[in-house]
């Protein structure tokens, strides 16, 4: 997955995925411009790394890889999630 100038790799075997409809909370650091939301944000009482197109999507994915959780909004969320859910 690419976001901004960085490329992120999520290994299928060690990454878990779940859907959420909850919007991102407050920005800790990062950018939020039209069509690109990256950086660290609050979500409930935790911190997530945002790789999204909006802070208020209809549906987003939470990918947990190691000790980090990523909030992502891929174009085809269900197809993208199937890669991680079909282990």
């Amino acid at each position: 997955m690419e976001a901004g100038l960085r490329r992120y790799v999520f290994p299928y075997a060690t990454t878990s995925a779940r859907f959420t409809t909850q919007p991102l909370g407050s920005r800790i650091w990062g950018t939020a411009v039209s069509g690109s939301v990256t950086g660290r944000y609050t979500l409930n009482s935790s911190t997530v790394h945002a790789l999204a197109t909006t802070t208020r999507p209809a549906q987003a994915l939470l990918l947990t890889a190691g000790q980090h959780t990523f909030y992502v909004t891929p174009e085809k969320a269900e197809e993208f999630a199937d890669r991680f859910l079909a282990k």
Side-chain angles (χ1 to χ4, degrees), residues 2-84:
E2 293 182 23
L5 299 175
R6 294 192 63 186
R7 173 172 263 230
Y8 295 85
V9 177
F10 298 102
Y12 298 141
T14 58
T15 302
S16 64
R18 62 187 166 97
F19 289 101
T20 185
T21 56
Q22 185 167 357
L24 284 171
S26 300
R27 180 175 52 195
I28 297 168
W29 63 263
T31 60
V33 295
S34 180
S36 181
V37 179
T38 60
R40 294 185 70 161
Y41 287 75
T42 60
L43 184 70
N44 293 328
S45 59
S46 61
T47 301
V48 295
H49 298 273
L51 305 172
T53 55
T54 179
T55 59
R56 302 200 178 286
Q59 184 176 60
L61 277 173
L62 292 174
L63 299 178
T64 302
Q67 296 180 348
H68 300 284
T69 300
F70 295 83
Y71 186 97
V72 299
T73 57
E75 188 173 321
K76 297 178 181 177
E78 290 187 20
E79 286 180 28
F80 190 83
D82 284 346
R83 300 172 187 172
F84 302 100

